[in-house]
Amino acid sequence: APGSQHFLGMTIVSDFFRKAGWDVVIEISLSEKELMHAVNNEWFDVIGISCATEAQLKTLPGLIRALKASSGNPEPGILLGGPIFTLKDLSADMFGADAITTDPIEAVNLLNSFKAS
């Protein structure tokens, strides 16, 4: 999510994705506009968003709508993860996402299910 400064978890999870055969782009952006530009310039089967703080949750539904609208893929999967989801029991529907996970193995399985659908 814009303004996030936690990179270690994203790096670790991206290694799991790569080992499962996925191409991964990590976009560290300070603004929503930069993220929109990134998803507009490439095709993404799935967009993963990592959130660290409760404050980021407030803007997450709007961010997801904007990412979907900007995406070169008309129907990208949206996968949420990050530290805040270990502290709060939240549903993906609340944000307009397809799934939430904080487990990298489950995340790989979810990605594979997105590709199959």
Side-chain angles (χ1 to χ4, degrees):
S4 286
Q5 302 217 352
H6 61 283
F7 309 112
L8 180 60
M10 287 189 301
T11 303
I12 292 169
V13 171
S14 69
D15 286 343
F16 276 85
F17 295 160
R18 285 185 182 102
K19 286 178 184 173
W22 286 82
D23 293 325
V24 177
V25 175
I26 296 178
E27 181 68 33
I28 308 298
S29 298
L30 296 177
S31 73
E32 187 174 299
K33 185 177 180 178
E34 290 174 342
L35 289 174
M36 300 310 112
H37 181 73
V39 299
N40 187 261
N41 286 330
E42 278 190 66
W43 180 277
F44 292 97
D45 292 314
V46 179
I47 299 170
I49 304 170
S50 180
C51 294
T53 67
E54 194 164 349
Q56 291 173 321
L57 297 178
K58 294 174 186 167
T59 60
L60 194 53
L63 173 64
I64 290 171
R65 281 191 302 276
L67 286 168
K68 285 181 175 181
S70 296
S71 176
N73 176 352
E75 296 184 27
I78 304 291
L79 179 61
L80 304 177
I84 193 63
F85 297 109
T86 63
L87 303 174
K88 296 192 160 283
D89 186 25
L90 302 166
S91 111
D93 305 3
M94 296 170 64
F95 305 102
D98 296 295
I100 296 172
T101 185
T102 56
D103 178 276
I105 294 170
E106 181 182 27
V108 168
N109 291 331
L110 286 167
L111 287 181
N112 291 331
S113 73
F114 289 148
K115 194 168 188 173
S117 45

